[in-house]
């Protein structure tokens, strides 16, 4: 089932060395940032994806958008002219330049009507005001709202209460739950986060596997052989994309978690801006045997 999904975050750029750099080949400007990676992971699952991103004024070249458009993603940008700074770019990334891109006046204008969206996934690359606007707009329109809590920071509990699913690694959950320095396990972290109001909290463990808490019961998933969702960022993006896909379609939560964990292990190599994110035909292999192994 193909869904219409809006992803909200920031768009960054990185310089990818040319394969023939030693022969004098020029480096290539490629899109970076967590929202872009999540958007591509969702698009490769076969969904229709709209990426709504904040950019600094006069920043974002067509060359940067081309790999996203090639993935079938629609990009809508809004100006951060009067906003607080975004989360700092990671090493090798830089703020984008918006030359040739029509900027919307603000986030609300860029989001547009959300009636057609099946889900809205918000990434914590923007400042708190924009995160709150995105979550409130999605929740107010009755859309399935997912918050991918990275890079983690303390958030407004009133905003978290409007989230359907909060997804975090164990280290991110510790920051969100405001218990740095305390000895709290994954279950305790999930309980603390659920107390803020999200309908479901999903915590992926460093040692592998994940757990989901819906405010009443826990569903735990032990690690299968392979790469855990929290081991590297590309697998974390696939984990979140697959989990959203399953939960929006109202799969049983045990099947949803197993599907997401299996999908996260199907990381592919290759060249390009998004070389490690698997396509929908590859992800179909994740479905094998789930019915027999569900609890």
């Amino acid at each position: 089932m193909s869904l219409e999904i809006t992803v909200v975050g920031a768009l960054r750029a990185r310089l990818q060395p040319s394969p023939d750099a030693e022969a004098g080949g020029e480096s290539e400007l490629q899109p970076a940032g967590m929202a872009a990676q999540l958007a591509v992971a969702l698009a490769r699952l076969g969904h229709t994806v709209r990426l709504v991103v904040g950019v600094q004024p006069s920043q974002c070249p067509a060359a940067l958008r081309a790999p996203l458009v090639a993935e079938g993603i629609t990009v809508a940008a809004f100006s951060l002219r009067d906003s607080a700074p975004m989360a700092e770019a990671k090493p090798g990334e830089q703020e984008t330049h918006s030359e040739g891109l029509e900027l919307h006046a603000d986030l609300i204008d860029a989001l547009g009507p959300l009636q057609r969206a099946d889900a809205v996934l918000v990434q914590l690359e923007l400042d708190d005001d924009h995160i709150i606007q995105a979550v409130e707009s999605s929740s107010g329109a009755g859309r399935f709202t997912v918050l991918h809590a990275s890079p983690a920071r303390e958030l407004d509990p009133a905003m978290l209460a409007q989230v359907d699913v909060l997804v975090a690694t164990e280290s991110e959950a510790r920051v969100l739950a405001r218990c740095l320095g305390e000895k709290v396990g994954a279950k305790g972290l999930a309980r603390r986060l659920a107390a803020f109001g999200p309908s479901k909290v999903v915590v992926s463990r460093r040692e592998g596997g994940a757990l989901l808490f819906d405010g009443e019961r826990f569903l735990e998933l032990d690690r299968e052989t392979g790469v855990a969702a929290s081991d590297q960022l590309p697998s974390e993006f696939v984990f979140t994309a697959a989990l959203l896909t399953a939960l929006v379609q109202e799969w049983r939560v045990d099947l949803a978690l197993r599907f997401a964990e299996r999908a996260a292990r199907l990381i592919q190599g290759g060249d390009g801006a998004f070389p490690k994110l698997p396509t929908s035909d590859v992800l179909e292999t994740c479905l094998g045997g789930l019915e027999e192994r569900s609890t």
Side-chain angles (χ1 to χ4, degrees):
M1 175 181 176
S2 177
L3 305 171
E4 294 198 17
I5 301 173
T6 296
V7 179
V8 181
L11 185 60
R12 303 191 184 282
R14 70 163 171 262
L15 286 175
Q16 181 73 19
S18 170
D20 58 349
E22 295 183 0
E26 295 184 0
S27 297
E28 181 179 325
L29 190 66
Q30 294 184 344
M34 297 181 186
Q37 296 279 347
L38 283 164
V40 173
L42 287 162
R44 291 190 181 181
L45 273 167
H47 302 312
T48 300
V49 181
R50 189 164 185 265
L51 178 60
V52 177
V53 289
V55 297
Q56 298 295 344
S58 304
Q59 302 185 2
C60 188
L64 190 63
R65 303 191 308 278
L68 295 167
V69 173
E71 297 283 350
I73 297 168
T74 300
V75 181
F78 65 94
S79 173
L80 294 172
R81 185 186 308 273
D82 300 319
S83 305
M86 297 184 295
E88 293 183 3
K90 295 184 176 182
E93 296 180 0
Q94 53 186 289
E95 301 301 337
T96 56
H97 299 278
S98 65
E99 165 191 331
L101 176 67
E102 179 182 357
L103 291 178
H104 292 265
D106 52 34
L107 171 61
I108 301 302
D109 186 45
L111 279 174
L114 292 171
Q115 283 74 17
R116 293 183 58 187
D118 294 294
V120 176
L121 193 160
V122 181
Q123 171 68 47
L124 291 185
E125 291 174 308
L126 298 171
D127 59 79
D128 286 359
D129 288 343
H130 283 116
I131 297 298
I132 291 171
Q133 284 182 9
V135 170
E136 288 183 344
S137 296
S138 176
S139 177
R143 302 302 90 185
F144 189 86
T145 307
V146 177
L147 182 62
H148 184 252
S150 181
R153 61 182 185 269
E154 294 183 4
L155 297 171
D156 179 5
M159 182 271 289
L160 290 175
Q162 300 179 67
V163 172
D164 291 296
V165 180
L166 173 63
V167 182
T169 64
E170 201 164 343
S171 59
E172 291 163 351
R174 194 169 298 281
V175 176
L176 292 165
R178 310 181 186 195
C179 59
L180 290 175
E182 298 182 38
K183 292 184 178 180
V184 183
K187 283 188 174 182
L189 292 171
R191 283 189 183 277
R192 291 196 184 193
L193 291 174
F196 291 138
S199 300
K200 293 182 177 64
V201 175
V202 178
V203 178
S204 57
R205 292 191 174 101
R206 182 171 299 278
E207 66 272 17
L211 65 84
L212 182 149
F213 182 58
D214 63 5
E216 295 182 357
R217 67 186 181 113
F218 284 98
L219 177 65
E220 295 187 76
L221 178 68
D222 293 329
R223 180 180 182 176
E224 292 187 349
T225 303
V227 178
S230 57
D231 284 345
Q232 52 177 312
L233 281 175
S235 61
E236 182 183 332
F237 301 138
V238 176
F239 177 89
T240 301
L243 183 67
L244 182 154
T245 297
L247 292 178
V248 171
Q249 296 181 81
E250 300 183 343
W251 289 22
R252 288 203 332 253
V253 291
D254 59 322
L255 296 184
L257 274 181
R258 180 63 72 193
F259 174 63
E261 199 273 346
R262 286 186 179 183
R265 294 184 284 109
L266 295 177
I267 301 301
Q268 300 173 314
D271 298 322
F274 310 101
K276 295 185 176 181
L277 303 179
T279 54
S280 57
D281 57 336
V282 174
L283 287 170
E284 288 180 6
T285 63
C286 296
L287 297 173
L290 282 183
E291 287 293 346
E292 293 80 4
R293 302 189 59 177
S294 61
T295 56

